[in-house]
Amino acid sequence: MTAPPLSAEQEALFRLIEDTREHVFVTGRAGTGKSTLLQHLAWNTQKQIAVCAPTGVAALNVEGQTIHSLFRLPIGLIAASEIDQSDATRKILNAIDTLVIDEISMVNADLMDAMDRALRQARGRRAEPFGGVQIVMFGDPYQLAPVPPRGDELRYIRDHYRSFWFFDAKVWTGGDAAIADGPALDGFAELGPFGAHLNIRELTEIHRQADPAFKAMLNAVRHGRVTADIAQVLNDTGARTPPEQVEGEPPIITLATRNDIVNNINRRHLDALPGRAQTASAEISGDFGRGEAGYPADAELKLKVGAQVMFLRNDVGGYPEPPRWVNGTIGTVTRIAGGTVRVDVDGEEHDVEPAVWERFRYAYDPGSRSLTRDIVAEFTQFPLRLAWAVTIHKSQGKTYERAIVDLGSGAFAPGQTYVALSRLTSLDGLYLSRPLRPSDIRVDPDVRRFMARRDAAAS
């Protein structure tokens, strides 16, 4: 499969990663092509690369392995204890030139340091950050946050780290600088004696939106700098009753904060359609993780003709042929028969067949002295989900022309409002279930601190 060419800034960043051993954090606003660059790197690098992510679904999306599975780390707080490693794990970690971590903003500081210790230990290079492995991280801390610790874990983090975020891991800050104010935290050139240098690069070309005014509004929401004028424009534009779905017009999807709201909306719309729902059961083989939370699609997919659905992965037709759909495309079911589901997308009907998601595991091949990527499980299901509504979290990375943003009682996580609004291609497609409030625009203060220092170091 061939992908479209990179932009100039993506190509320059690829060359930095490929031609140096620098640790790189690739960030950028929604729609700047972080995933495109990661995919290009995975397909085109000449290095021995391993790709991982903090969750099962995120690992599936990048055809990699979860961090805990790759490193064979225990679940929960790892702290500073020695890490048990089998011979097989040590061989895998020794074979890695470059470790790519997606959704890095969901990785906590303790896990970041555990990866550092595991690589130093396995490779016998304890004085060198990550045992000499190049670390390349992708993500936007303005959008996704790590799960906050509780109880004893919270107390441990407060005692040993400045924050729970990956960028406050001791491997980056240098020893105890993570919990102390002082020169080691004033810029990336002044790290502690054991801190690794982190090259932070931000992609700036937005490919999702074209209107400069809307881009500026989204940037204000991202940084928590929404003025009264910006809030008024967003609220005045969104204060409309969503129109009834008309054939030939872009579909409307509701982005909500909670699963129960989304499930109720989808169930209500499905029940309102005539006829009996048909159910497609997924085929699951091998070790596919711990229950439905790690599945890439519904294990039991209920559909009717007329159902509004969203595609869960890109069409595999490949460049230069234009894809018939991409991850996040919304369409309407027009026929269910013969092992296929026919879906109308922008007036064109396509027969959709079940797709196979493969769960990978890295292994070491002693013959070639290199990493192999073995398939250990498969999940087969139609790459579709009911899509009258979706959670804001699951809308991550998707693009919509029209959406109803339903923040309910309020955004409960920093970045949530930004994620929802930045899914839209234009301001014209915004509908708000209620006006935005100042409390909906939340930016984590640790993220603001980290990115401010990044900006200061770059200037």
Side-chain angles (χ1 to χ4, degrees):
M1 181 176 178
T2 307
L6 298 181
S7 67
E9 72 168 355
Q10 288 172 326
E11 178 64 33
L13 196 40
F14 170 69
R15 294 268 44 112
L16 170 69
I17 296 166
E18 185 70 2
D19 297 341
T20 75
R21 302 291 305 159
E22 289 200 41
H23 304 305
V24 182
F25 171 39
V26 181
T27 189
R29 288 171 282 177
T32 50
K34 296 183 292 295
S35 297
T36 299
L37 176 58
L38 189 157
Q39 187 179 62
H40 181 88
L41 173 64
W43 288 350
N44 293 281
T45 183
Q46 298 300 307
K47 298 177 179 179
Q48 285 285 307
I49 192 172
V51 182
C52 61
T55 68
V57 172
L60 284 173
N61 289 338
V62 292
E63 297 185 337
Q65 195 170 344
T66 65
I67 293 169
H68 284 83
S69 173
L70 176 62
F71 284 83
R72 298 295 191 268
L73 294 172
I75 300 298
L77 191 69
I78 300 166
S81 58
E82 190 81 358
I83 297 170
D84 289 334
Q85 292 177 330
S86 67
D87 287 342
T89 299
R90 281 194 292 271
K91 287 177 180 177
I92 291 169
L93 298 185
N94 267 284
I96 297 173
D97 294 326
T98 299
L99 179 70
V100 177
I101 310 169
D102 195 27
E103 302 290 18
I104 187 62
S105 64
M106 297 181 71
V107 173
N108 61 56
D110 166 67
L111 182 57
M112 190 87 249
D113 278 337
M115 286 187 277
D116 171 46
R117 285 203 314 281
L119 286 165
R120 295 189 200 218
Q121 183 179 314
R123 298 164 70 90
R125 298 164 72 174
R126 291 178 182 263
E128 194 170 355
F130 301 101
V133 171
Q134 179 188 30
I135 304 299
V136 179
M137 304 177 289
F138 289 80
D140 182 6
Y142 285 107
Q143 296 187 56
L144 287 175
V147 177
R150 296 180 180 178
D152 287 342
E153 291 190 6
L154 177 58
R155 285 186 282 274
Y156 179 90
I157 293 297
R158 284 176 173 170
D159 283 344
H160 292 83
Y161 293 97
R162 183 163 184 176
S163 82
F164 204 50
W165 287 86
F166 76 93
F167 47 74
D168 280 330
K170 295 180 182 181
V171 66
W172 303 124
T173 61
D176 292 333
I179 55 171
D181 290 320
L185 291 171
D186 286 340
F188 295 99
E190 297 184 18
L191 295 169
F194 305 105
H197 176 75
L198 181 58
N199 194 327
I200 302 172
R201 294 299 181 95
E202 185 163 2
L203 293 169
T204 59
E205 295 176 20
I206 298 175
H207 307 286
R208 183 174 293 145
Q209 295 93 16
D211 177 18
F214 188 41
K215 289 181 183 180
M217 291 179 202
L218 292 177
N219 200 42
V221 174
R222 182 177 190 245
H223 291 96
R225 299 170 186 160
V226 176
T227 64
D229 288 343
I230 292 174
Q232 183 172 352
V233 171
L234 290 171
N235 283 329
D236 288 351
T237 302
R240 299 171 288 165
T241 301
E244 293 294 323
Q245 186 65 54
V246 177
E247 187 174 348
E249 291 190 357
I252 302 177
I253 187 170
T254 296
L255 308 180
T257 54
R258 301 201 322 260
N259 272 308
D260 59 334
I261 296 172
V262 166
N263 292 337
N264 287 337
I265 292 172
N266 285 331
R267 188 182 305 112
R268 186 173 71 248
H269 280 278
L270 188 67
D271 290 346
L273 292 174
R276 181 174 60 86
Q278 299 188 51
T279 302
S281 298
E283 296 180 10
I284 306 170
S285 63
D287 176 15
F288 216 90
R290 299 175 296 165
E292 293 201 23
Y295 292 164
D298 292 337
E300 300 290 325
L301 176 63
K302 289 183 168 59
L303 294 176
K304 290 181 181 179
V305 170
Q308 183 165 295
V309 292
M310 179 173 67
F311 285 86
L312 299 177
R313 59 189 297 171
N314 296 341
D315 177 27
V316 295
Y319 183 83
E321 292 298 321
R324 295 168 295 173
W325 60 79
V326 296
N327 186 4
T329 294
I330 300 175
T332 303
V333 175
T334 59
R335 182 173 179 263
I336 306 171
T340 64
V341 176
R342 185 166 296 168
V343 179
D344 181 291
V345 176
D346 295 332
E348 290 189 33
E349 294 192 356
H350 307 288
D351 286 331
V352 182
E353 298 180 343
V356 180
W357 284 265
E358 297 167 332
R359 186 175 289 283
F360 295 96
R361 182 172 296 158
Y362 289 98
Y364 178 72
D365 181 355
S368 62
R369 295 185 179 181
S370 63
L371 287 178
T372 62
R373 203 174 50 147
D374 302 329
I375 299 171
V376 296
E378 292 184 343
F379 183 100
T380 305
Q381 177 60 290
F382 289 99
L384 302 168
R385 173 181 285 135
L386 292 177
W388 288 283
V390 67
T391 62
I392 293 171
H393 183 80
K394 287 182 178 175
S395 75
Q396 192 80 19
K398 309 294 194 300
T399 300
Y400 308 119
E401 291 187 54
R402 303 196 297 179
I404 303 165
V405 176
D406 181 0
L407 294 173
S409 58
F412 60 79
Q416 200 169 45
T417 302
Y418 171 65
V419 171
L421 297 177
S422 62
R423 301 308 98 198
L424 288 159
T425 56
S426 72
L427 184 60
D428 292 339
L430 173 64
Y431 299 85
L432 294 171
S433 64
R434 62 158 176 80
L436 295 174
R437 306 165 185 156
S439 59
D440 294 325
I441 312 300
R442 299 177 57 192
V443 179
D444 190 292
D446 290 305
V447 172
R448 186 178 277 128
R449 162 178 59 84
F450 171 67
M451 294 303 284
R453 290 198 170 91
R454 174 261 174 195
D455 293 339
S459 62

